[in-house]
Amino acid sequence: MKRNKFCVMMIGLSALMVFGSCSKDNDVEPAPPGGDLPANETWIIYNANANWSGGIYALKDKKAREINLSGMPFFQVSSSLGGSVLGKTLYKVNSASNAQGILKLGLNSAGNVTEDKFLPSLSSAYISNYLVASPTEGYYWDDVRGGLKVQKFNPTTMERTGEIDFSSLSEGLPNESAGQLILAKRDDKLYVDLLLGTKQAGDWQVSPKNKEVALAVYDLTNNKILNVTKFAGTTNLGVFIDHVLWGLDEKTKDLYFVAVGDMKRQPSNYSSKIVRIKSGETQFDQNFSIDIKSYQFPAEFNRLFVYDSKIYTTIPSRGVSYYGGAQHGVSYRSDVWFWNEIDATTKKAKRLPIPADSFYGTQNPFLHNGEIYFLSNNTSEGYSGVNQYNPATGTVKETFHLKESGRLNGFNIIAD
């Protein structure tokens, strides 16, 4: 499925929770004038226009609390949807012109973003899911090379180095894949989503044969499939290649995953859930799940970050449907998505005083120097910015916002 089709269509806190409005001025510590900006950081900003094209900017000396990108140098891309950072290197899905594959970017002597190397996909479809695990270890999925195979590559040289074959897990169904949407690594294990089913006419998701989600676990030390773990009561791990829906809790070392469910039919019996594999284990924790129905329905979880047994995700203030906004009285990309902190033990959720989001950007929060950073695009307020949350003190303050510079679809920090 092409990305533009996906974008046109689409892309949880108990039952007593009341969803109120949250403007950019409510309960958020006002941004300091700018004198406290960290001199040893380069801010990477992905802005985007209405057609998803935009630029990647690197700001070190020009950082500010209010940023107008006009006149600043940038690296132009046809699809500006954020990326990942390893050290001082950037990676994103697809080339500047949107050719399918993985693009490696760096900073030149002037501190501007420049292209380094590109690893093309053999496929012409927008499907090159990838994971950069280290400067020499990377993985990606390329349907043309085999849906039940995960490709290996070197993130430094951007050369393909081999593959991992999961074909022994085939059940002979029309649509089978391993690692198309989830490529996660913890210790010496690689976790990949195993999807065996059929894509119905008019659907972009594959309907699994069994109403469950499955992960294949691969032992990278012994080079063998260790096991397949399954969790019933939901379907469809992950949602799209540049929309990562797994997270590793760096404190507990538990792995978390989002099952979005069937986003077209939104069946109540198989609703979207957050599931986990505990530290030291390779099987789903069958005694744990976070169900979107506890907070809002119809809806699904569509962002994920976990730290110290706290789950950070967006929950809509009203029911939403990706396939039909009018069905629930609100379009999917309206200002209805609110950042929440869910306690993984009690399952109670707390809405954070961060501006509501319209879900035009899909980047997950991230941790930097003990604070968690969240992106928000709010159409009604004309707000595009980043807010940072200190989980120890509960303090939220604005990092920066854009002024007359399009949407904010990605943000990374590179430290000197």
Side-chain angles (χ1 to χ4, degrees):
M1 181 197 66
K2 299 291 185 182
R3 175 74 200 190
N4 57 356
K5 180 179 178 183
F6 177 84
C7 294
V8 169
M9 295 190 302
M10 173 151 178
I11 156 216
L13 18 216
S14 65
L16 298 177
M17 176 178 176
V18 178
F19 288 92
S21 64
C22 181
S23 77
K24 65 176 179 288
D25 298 317
N26 289 350
D27 303 319
V28 180
E29 181 179 315
D36 66 337
L37 291 169
N40 64 336
E41 293 180 0
T42 297
W43 290 355
I44 305 298
I45 295 173
Y46 293 73
N47 85 320
N49 304 306
N51 67 351
W52 305 91
S53 68
I56 309 176
Y57 297 75
L59 280 66
K60 185 174 184 181
D61 298 331
K62 295 184 178 181
K63 294 191 296 293
R65 296 303 180 182
E66 181 176 89
I67 299 174
N68 189 321
L69 296 171
S70 178
M72 296 185 185
F74 63 93
F75 182 83
Q76 187 167 354
V77 290
S78 297
S79 179
S80 184
L81 285 157
S84 60
V85 172
L86 182 67
K88 300 182 185 300
T89 304
L90 309 173
Y91 298 89
K92 72 175 293 292
V93 171
N94 296 351
S95 72
S97 62
N98 220 21
Q100 313 307 305
I102 309 163
L103 179 63
K104 177 186 178 184
L105 301 155
L107 303 179
N108 63 15
S109 59
N112 301 322
V113 177
T114 59
E115 181 171 349
D116 188 339
K117 297 179 179 68
F118 180 64
L119 175 60
S121 169
L122 295 184
S123 175
S124 60
Y126 204 92
I127 53 178
S128 298
N129 182 25
Y130 76 96
L131 169 68
V132 174
S134 79
T136 58
E137 180 187 9
Y139 305 91
Y140 70 101
W141 187 83
D142 187 335
D143 191 31
V144 174
R145 294 187 179 274
L148 286 171
K149 295 179 179 181
V150 171
Q151 306 304 311
K152 300 192 291 186
F153 77 103
N154 184 313
T156 298
T157 64
M158 295 300 285
E159 294 175 331
R160 177 178 173 269
T161 58
E163 66 184 18
I164 302 172
D165 194 345
F166 293 91
S167 299
S168 62
L169 304 178
S170 172
E171 295 183 5
L173 295 166
N175 300 95
E176 298 187 328
S177 64
Q180 182 178 6
L181 298 173
I182 301 289
L183 287 169
K185 184 188 177 188
R186 181 180 63 184
D187 301 325
D188 66 336
K189 308 296 190 300
L190 187 69
Y191 299 78
V192 305
D193 66 298
L194 180 64
L195 185 54
L196 310 174
T198 303
K199 185 180 291 186
Q200 308 293 339
D203 289 4
W204 59 267
Q205 288 178 298
V206 171
S207 297
K209 175 185 176 182
N210 300 315
K211 299 293 186 181
E212 62 189 11
V213 294
L215 281 170
V217 185
Y218 188 82
D219 187 327
L220 293 165
T221 300
N222 298 302
N223 297 315
K224 67 177 184 179
I225 300 172
L226 192 63
N227 62 271
V228 173
T229 181
K230 301 177 181 181
F231 194 96
T234 187
T235 63
N236 299 91
L237 284 172
V239 66
F240 212 67
I241 60 171
D242 49 18
H243 186 170
V244 179
L245 286 179
W246 68 271
L248 174 64
D249 187 331
E250 292 292 349
K251 293 277 283 190
T252 68
K253 302 303 179 181
D254 296 337
L255 266 173
Y256 290 78
F257 307 87
V258 169
V260 295
D262 184 333
M263 295 177 68
K264 185 173 186 178
R265 299 161 189 88
Q266 295 181 300
S268 176
N269 290 343
Y270 303 99
S271 53
S272 176
K273 293 178 175 64
I274 298 173
V275 294
R276 77 180 176 192
I277 298 178
K278 298 179 72 174
S279 177
E281 300 181 6
T282 60
Q283 300 282 348
F284 280 122
D285 181 354
Q286 299 294 332
N287 298 315
F288 174 88
S289 69
I290 303 290
D291 194 329
I292 189 66
K293 289 188 298 184
S294 298
Y295 316 107
Q296 185 60 266
F297 194 76
E300 51 272 326
F301 296 113
N302 56 30
R303 258 79 66 96
L304 180 70
F305 177 73
V306 188
Y307 181 71
D308 199 14
S309 296
K310 301 293 191 300
I311 299 166
Y312 299 92
T313 187
T314 45
I315 303 171
S317 56
R318 293 194 279 174
V320 291
S321 172
Y322 167 65
Y323 275 83
Q327 176 184 353
H328 303 299
V330 60
S331 68
Y332 206 86
R333 295 195 186 278
S334 293
D335 301 330
V336 298
W337 299 94
F338 291 85
W339 288 107
N340 281 261
E341 177 187 81
I342 304 177
D343 188 300
T345 302
T346 67
K347 301 184 181 181
K348 292 183 179 180
K350 175 179 68 176
R351 178 184 288 184
L352 301 178
I354 294 174
D357 182 64
S358 58
F359 195 63
Y360 277 99
T362 60
Q363 181 179 323
N364 293 315
F366 65 90
L367 182 73
H368 175 70
N369 287 346
E371 301 209 328
I372 304 171
Y373 290 74
F374 300 82
L375 276 68
S376 293
N377 289 287
N378 189 297
T379 304
S380 60
E381 296 180 359
Y383 179 83
S384 291
V386 174
N387 286 266
Q388 58 195 87
Y389 169 66
N390 187 316
T393 65
T395 302
V396 173
K397 68 177 181 180
E398 184 183 73
T399 309
F400 71 89
H401 65 268
L402 296 181
K403 179 182 180 182
E404 300 171 355
S405 299
R407 294 198 305 263
L408 180 63
N409 273 15
F411 176 61
N412 306 125
I413 297 175
I414 295 178
D416 290 347

